[in-house]
Amino acid sequence: MKLLNKIRYIALMLIGVTLASCEDTKSYSELLTEEEHAVNWYLAQHEVCLEIPEDGKFLVGENAPYYKMDSDGYVYMQVLNKGTDEKAESGDKVYFRFMRMNINYFQQYGTENWDGNAESAAEGSTSFVYGNSVLSSTTQYGDGIQVPLQYLGYDCEVNLIVKSPEGWPSEQSQCIPYLYNIRYFKAIY
């Protein structure tokens, strides 16, 4: 009888340890679903165009629509300022100032928490080499932030929704969509 009680006690201990060690984490699939829901929630509050204007004449301003920029729906762009007629060319160094907000957090808590380097020169400058997918100094920001320069000139300003596959590689596994406010500048040598 004592042996049976010891076995039960050990079994209960093992079950307790097993249950205590289980983390309440979400699967990657669940994170992707949450990301999709958050972006859809945000876009539902705005006009959305599913096609890029063929003539390149985007509507501009804070009430302009968000344009779906890729077939997968990873990047949406709202044009606030078209910038100059001079466009970036492959290999150009482009400086940018940005603020970004986690859309998942905004949906869940209703609070806009922005971070980035646009509000303070002390935050330092950020840049990438346009069209480059090799340099770590460029790829660290993901491919999504380069999309507007395919259509707009230097000194443009956009609001950009970037889903995790096109976002910062260091954050992709977290499946967090970000809303960016970005301004692009030509490097002067």
Side-chain angles (χ1 to χ4, degrees), residues 23 54 62 79 87 111 113 123 136 138 142 149-150 166 187:
E23 294 181 29
E54 287 185 32
E62 291 191 18
V79 180
K87 292 187 176 181
T111 304
N113 288 329
E123 296 292 327
S136 62
T138 294
L149 294 176
Q150 296 174 30
E166 293 294 313

Side-chain angles (χ1 to χ4, degrees), residues 34-82:
E34 280 184 4
E35 177 180 41
E36 187 69 26
H37 288 161
V39 169
N40 289 343
W41 168 83
Y42 185 82
L43 288 174
Q45 301 170 51
H46 302 276
E47 182 182 348
V48 176
C49 289
L50 299 178
E51 307 247 343
I52 299 168
E54 287 185 32
D55 59 5
K57 294 184 180 179
F58 292 92
L59 296 176
V60 177
E62 291 191 18
N63 294 320
Y66 277 86
Y67 294 93
K68 182 179 176 184
M69 302 306 292
D70 62 336
S71 60
D72 294 317
Y74 292 151
V75 179
Y76 290 83
M77 177 177 76
Q78 180 186 47
V79 180
L80 301 175
N81 179 342
K82 289 184 181 181

Side-chain angles (χ1 to χ4, degrees), residues 82-99:
K82 289 184 181 181
T84 66
D85 289 335
E86 183 181 7
K87 292 187 176 181
E89 296 179 16
S90 185
D92 284 357
K93 186 172 190 174
V94 177
Y95 285 95
F96 66 102
R97 305 292 282 172
F98 74 97
M99 295 299 289

Side-chain angles (χ1 to χ4, degrees), residues 1-9:
M1 191 69 161
K2 285 186 178 183
L3 180 61
L4 187 58
N5 284 338
K6 285 183 180 180
I7 292 173
R8 286 183 187 157
Y9 178 75

Side-chain angles (χ1 to χ4, degrees), residues 26 30-46 48 66 73 76 101-110 161-164 174-179:
K26 297 177 183 171
E30 290 170 321
L31 292 173
L32 285 173
T33 299
E34 280 184 4
E35 177 180 41
E36 187 69 26
H37 288 161
V39 169
N40 289 343
W41 168 83
Y42 185 82
L43 288 174
Q45 301 170 51
H46 302 276
V48 176
Y66 277 86
Y76 290 83
M101 174 186 65
N102 177 329
I103 298 174
N104 282 349
Y105 187 87
F106 182 43
Q107 178 194 24
Q108 187 172 3
Y109 300 105
I161 294 172
V162 180
K163 290 184 183 177
S164 58
Q174 298 169 31
C175 301
I176 298 172
Y178 282 95
L179 172 63

